Amino acid sequence: MVVGLRHFTDRDGGGAGEPVLDAGSGEELMHVQPGVSIALANRPPESPGTLYISTKQVMWLSDVDRAKGYAVDFLSLSLHAISRDPEAYSSPCIYTQIETEADEDESEGSDAEGDQIFDLTKITEMRLIPTDPSQLDTLFQIFCECAELNPEPIEEEDGEEHNWVFNADQIENQDAEGEDSEWNFSHNPTNTIGHSNGNHDLAQSVLELQINDQRFEDAEEMEHESHRSNDERSPSA
C-alpha cells in the first residue's frame, strides 16, 4: 500500500524535541539537518524547520509551528535528486517524487478550504531546501543509503513465487503433452541447469540444448554399433 506524504507531529519532550521513531521495528535516526525549508508541489516554501532522516522515513518539523510537520516513507519515494538549476527551481534543493494513490485527474495539492488546508495524498513532488547548499551532497548520499535499506517489495504473480528447476525428461513430456499441460517441477537446489525465476523460455532453451546433445550422442552410439555389427558379419578376406 502506498502511503504517500502525511502530517507528522509526534515529538519527544512534550512536543518540543526530536520525532518519535518506531524503535520496535528497528527504526533508527540517521541524520539531522537544521535550517531546511520544505516546498510541496507548486506551493511556496514553508518557514525553515529541521529535517530528520531515519532508516525508514524522511521527516520535516517546523521550528516556528510545533504543530506542523510532514513525513514520507522511503518506500513512497520513487525518485530523489540534487537540483541546482535555477531554471528548474529558484534555490538549490533535494528534489523528490512521491508515489500516491490519488486519482490522476484530481488537481495536485488542491485546497479543501481556502489556502489553509490541502490534501497531502495528492502531493507528488517535494523539495527540501537547506539554508546551506553545501549540505546537498551529504543529504543526497544519506537519501541513497536509506533508500537501499528499503528496497521495493517484489510482487509475486498469482500469490506464488516462481523459482523453477526443470529436467530434460520433464521438458520432453511438456512438448509431447501440448501447450495446455501443466509444468512439472523438480525441487533439486543443486541443479542450476534450467533454473528460472519466472522465465520459462530460459529454462526450456537451456534444457533443449541438453536434450539435443543427448540425442546426438545416442545417434552416434547407434551408428557406431551398426558399423561394428556389419564388420562382424562381413566374411574374412
Side-chain angles (χ1 to χ4, degrees):
M1 177 181 177
V2 177
V3 178
L5 191 69
R6 64 188 187 276
H7 288 288
F8 185 92
T9 57
D10 295 334
R11 303 176 185 239
D12 288 325
E18 294 185 343
V20 177
L21 304 181
D22 186 4
S25 67
E27 183 179 13
E28 298 178 3
L29 190 62
M30 297 288 286
H31 187 77
V32 179
Q33 185 64 51
V36 177
S37 299
I38 187 171
L40 305 178
N42 57 358
R43 297 171 65 87
E46 305 268 1
S47 300
T50 302
L51 181 67
Y52 298 90
I53 304 175
S54 78
T55 51
K56 294 186 179 295
Q57 59 184 327
V58 177
M59 299 153 285
W60 179 88
L61 298 178
S62 172
D63 292 339
V64 178
D65 184 354
R66 296 292 181 181
K68 178 179 287 186
Y70 307 104
V72 60
D73 294 338
F74 276 102
L75 287 175
S76 295
L77 293 179
S78 59
L79 180 148
H80 65 272
I82 295 176
S83 173
R84 292 190 175 97
D85 184 357
E87 294 185 2
Y89 194 73
S90 57
S91 302
C93 63
I94 295 289
Y95 169 78
T96 66
Q97 288 183 355
I98 303 171
E99 293 184 3
T100 72
E101 293 182 344
D103 295 335
E104 293 182 358
D105 57 347
E106 296 181 6
S107 59
E108 183 179 80
S110 58
D111 295 342
E113 298 178 7
D115 192 50
Q116 299 301 316
I117 302 175
F118 60 100
D119 190 350
L120 294 183
T121 64
K122 301 173 187 176
I123 299 297
T124 59
E125 293 182 324
M126 175 180 71
R127 291 176 174 85
L128 302 168
I129 311 155
T131 54
D132 181 6
S134 67
Q135 296 299 315
L136 285 174
D137 290 328
T138 299
L139 291 175
F140 177 79
Q141 183 61 37
I142 294 171
F143 264 72
C144 291
E145 292 174 2
C146 293
E148 291 179 357
L149 296 176
N150 296 271
E152 188 172 347
I154 299 176
E155 295 183 2
E156 298 177 357
E157 185 179 353
D158 299 329
E160 297 179 359
E161 182 179 357
H162 301 305
N163 194 13
W164 301 322
V165 177
F166 307 102
N167 62 37
D169 292 336
Q170 289 166 346
I171 294 296
E172 287 185 297
N173 291 338
Q174 169 65 18
D175 292 338
E177 294 172 6
E179 296 180 356
D180 296 332
S181 62
E182 294 293 331
W183 287 96
N184 295 316
F185 306 135
S186 170
H187 301 287
N188 181 3
T190 64
N191 180 12
T192 58
I193 297 295
H195 184 276
S196 168
N197 191 13
N199 187 342
H200 288 192
D201 294 337
L202 174 62
Q204 187 161 358
S205 297
V206 173
L207 287 172
E208 281 177 350
L209 290 175
Q210 192 176 35
I211 294 168
N212 290 335
D213 287 343
Q214 291 171 351
R215 288 172 178 168
F216 180 76
E217 291 173 0
D218 292 341
E220 243 186 1
E221 184 177 349
M222 290 176 63
E223 185 178 357
H224 179 71
E225 290 179 355
S226 176
H227 284 311
R228 187 174 62 182
S229 297
N230 290 335
D231 290 343
E232 290 176 351
R233 288 197 299 267
S234 62
S236 303

